[in-house]
Amino acid sequence: GMGVSTVTAARILKGQLQNRKGEESQLEMEKFPYVALAKTYNTNAQVPDSAGTATAYLCGVKANEGTVGVSAGVTRDRCNTTKGQEVTSILRWAKDAGKAVGIVTTTRVTHATPSAAYAHSANRDWYSDGEMPADALEGGCRDIARQLVENIPDIEVILGGGRKYMFPKNASDVEYPHEEKHRGTRLDRRDLVQAWHDAKPPGKVAKYVWHRRELLALNLSRVDFLLGESWHPRVPQPQASALGDPWLVLGCWGSWSGQLPPRDASTPLGMLAKQALHEAVELDRAIGEATRLTSPQDTLSVVTADHSHVFTFGGYTPRGNPIFGLAPMQSDVDRKPFTSILYGNGPGYKIVAGERENVSAVDFAHANYQAQSAVPLRQETHGGEDVAVFARGPMAHLLHGVHEQNYIPHAMAYAACIGSNRAHCNAAGRPAASSVLLPFLTLLFLLC
């Protein structure tokens, strides 16, 4: 959901958190020398969903909305269309090339976006067999959590949320034992964390953690495989803070920075501008740490988004205007103030006494404030515009201009000499010098 408008607003917020005006600030991703745009449409959708877009930028194939890790030959909800239509991801290509791989996310590891790295499903919502219809189970389709354990059993690092999909139905949660909504959901009564342990080769050390304290206690030099699942690592609840719930900071589960205020776990993040922008700044901190730990001589870094949201900000605000503040003008139609940040649609649409709500009468700076929207919807939708692609490192020049979204993993695989297209690689598994020079030679030829 990180569209260009979100990137710009996050840049301003980053600067304002450093007591600057904000506009002149620079995100870590904006320091990357190559920038492209990716077209995010799904094969059957002008405005995409996360499953189809994740399949595009991880598997290199555009897909129908709601389907994950499969080609466009699969129809959403129809299990019997899946067989033979599975597509593999760049994570699989890297693993097959002998590289270590990992998935680190601030959402459920079974969510549409990360699950495209390992799963093949006709429905992105089939998190466990408890969410699947009878015909899909009878047709032999497997839920996404089970595929996380079975499809690529040797993923070195898996960190995220959604552990209830790994445990038997009604099993009490380790962190919230008395809350029904956190109980296990699996109808097959399997403990997939135990199955994850059992699938590891003899002599290898596999560790499962569910909060930061356990993670920090590990001697990672003696751990071969790591699975960490919070209930939801991007939602710092009061109870979670006491337990040290993990948080995605600096490229791994770290401590919550304290900048992002708590929110109601039942409220989707896409409706909350303050939450979304603070998370974008947290992402930027992770990118900065990854940049400091790697060299552009041997590491290709790519930052992009699955899609945009209908998030915008405007209103002729002056330099340094608080990014969550009011525009300096009132509407010349209803004579009421408005915040700089607005949404095209969503639950922020409110009519009070037959008129648009007066935002000056509410706490529009609150963490859970829902910015006003033009069209009333229970949930705000995705946006359909292109998203930015930032690249740094070997072969980063392959990401420039406007690309189909499914081009991204192929460019990355070409640079890494993984996947099926390796004819340009030398015996050491690196791109041959001629392949690096070719674009420049072509340019010189055209200039001549």
Side-chain angles (χ1 to χ4, degrees):
M2 190 177 69
V4 172
S5 57
T6 299
V7 172
T8 306
R11 174 201 308 150
I12 295 171
L13 174 60
K14 178 181 179 179
Q16 293 182 350
L17 289 172
Q18 298 168 347
N19 298 315
R20 295 185 286 160
K21 289 183 180 294
E23 297 84 5
E24 76 292 348
S25 183
Q26 190 176 30
L27 295 171
E28 296 294 333
M29 67 186 85
E30 293 174 332
K31 299 176 185 178
F32 288 15
Y34 293 94
V35 181
L37 291 175
K39 298 188 283 186
T40 63
Y41 66 92
N42 297 151
T43 48
N44 65 340
Q46 186 179 73
V47 177
D49 96 306
S50 302
T53 52
T55 301
Y57 76 68
L58 288 173
C59 302
V61 175
K62 280 188 179 280
N64 290 325
E65 62 86 25
T67 66
V68 63
V70 291
S71 74
V74 174
T75 303
R76 186 171 188 171
D77 292 322
R78 292 182 59 185
C79 167
N80 62 359
T81 64
T82 306
K83 189 173 182 180
Q85 301 298 321
E86 299 90 347
V87 294
T88 56
S89 74
I90 191 168
L91 182 141
R92 165 74 79 170
W93 309 340
K95 196 64 195 170
D96 289 347
K99 299 182 183 295
V101 297
I103 299 170
V104 181
T105 178
T106 55
T107 186
R108 298 178 297 272
V109 292
T110 51
H111 188 274
T113 306
S115 69
Y118 60 86
H120 317 285
S121 180
N123 190 312
R124 57 174 287 175
D125 298 326
W126 290 351
Y127 304 124
S128 78
D129 58 349
E131 286 75 40
M132 295 178 66
D135 66 306
L137 293 172
E138 293 165 1
C141 284
R142 295 175 299 150
D143 62 88
I144 294 171
R146 181 179 168 189
Q147 292 187 59
L148 173 65
V149 173
E150 296 179 350
N151 285 5
I152 312 176
D154 51 355
I155 298 174
E156 279 79 5
V157 176
I158 303 171
L159 297 175
R163 63 173 172 252
K164 70 178 183 179
Y165 304 113
M166 307 287 283
F167 294 103
K169 187 173 178 63
N170 293 325
S172 295
D173 182 73
V174 64
E175 188 174 359
Y176 306 102
H178 304 298
E179 297 190 33
E180 185 174 350
K181 66 179 179 180
H182 299 318
R183 292 177 182 170
T185 64
R186 302 201 60 80
L187 300 177
D188 61 10
R189 312 300 300 172
R190 293 184 66 189
D191 179 339
L192 291 186
V193 172
Q194 187 60 50
W196 173 82
H197 270 287
D198 295 343
K200 299 299 172 284
K204 296 294 184 180
V205 178
K207 293 291 185 179
Y208 171 78
V209 298
W210 60 270
H211 59 70
R212 183 172 180 264
R213 185 175 63 237
E214 286 184 327
L215 179 64
L216 294 179
L218 293 176
N219 182 346
L220 294 179
S221 65
R222 298 181 180 178
V223 175
D224 300 295
F225 299 96
L226 175 63
L227 172 62
E229 283 196 309
S230 171
W231 170 64
H232 203 316
R234 76 176 179 196
V235 187
Q237 302 290 314
Q239 307 98 314
S241 299
L243 290 167
D245 209 26
W247 187 256
L248 182 70
V249 177
L250 307 182
C252 66
W253 269 3
S255 61
W256 173 41
S257 71
Q259 294 177 337
L260 184 61
R263 69 180 170 94
D264 181 352
S266 65
T267 306
L269 189 67
M271 306 169 185
L272 306 173
K274 195 163 192 175
Q275 302 284 353
L277 293 187
H278 273 283
E279 280 211 353
V281 173
E282 290 293 314
L283 169 65
D284 195 61
R285 293 180 62 209
I287 295 167
E289 183 67 7
T291 299
R292 285 185 286 274
L293 291 172
T294 58
S295 167
Q297 302 303 313
D298 59 19
T299 303
L300 172 64
S301 301
V302 179
V303 180
T304 189
D306 46 3
H307 52 74
S308 180
H309 277 269
V310 288
F311 168 98
T312 187
F313 72 101
Y316 300 115
T317 47
R319 279 291 304 275
N321 197 72
I323 191 62
F324 303 116
L326 295 174
M329 56 195 289
Q330 292 186 343
S331 166
D332 58 4
V333 176
D334 64 13
R335 305 299 174 185
K336 289 185 173 62
F338 59 95
T339 56
S340 172
I341 292 175
L342 297 167
Y343 283 86
N345 55 53
Y349 180 95
K350 291 182 181 178
I351 298 297
V352 177
E355 298 181 341
R356 180 173 67 92
E357 182 180 49
N358 190 331
V359 296
S360 63
V362 300
D363 184 6
F364 56 81
H366 191 275
N368 292 331
Y369 171 71
Q370 296 177 340
Q372 290 185 338
S373 61
V375 176
L377 289 177
R378 288 188 176 89
Q379 292 193 24
E380 171 258 1
T381 73
H382 295 171
E385 71 270 25
D386 299 350
V387 295
V389 186
F390 304 90
R392 166 188 183 264
M395 294 286 182
H397 64 272
L398 295 176
L399 293 162
H400 69 284
V402 181
H403 299 294
E404 294 288 355
Q405 192 173 35
N406 58 301
Y407 168 81
I408 296 171
H410 294 294
M412 294 172 65
Y414 185 91
C417 285
I418 60 177
S420 58
N421 181 9
R422 295 194 297 273
H424 63 292
C425 302
N426 61 23
R430 294 188 296 269
S434 60
S435 67
V436 179
L437 292 173
L438 182 60
F440 302 101
L441 294 174
T442 304
L443 175 61
L444 290 172
F445 175 77
L446 292 174
L447 289 176
C448 292

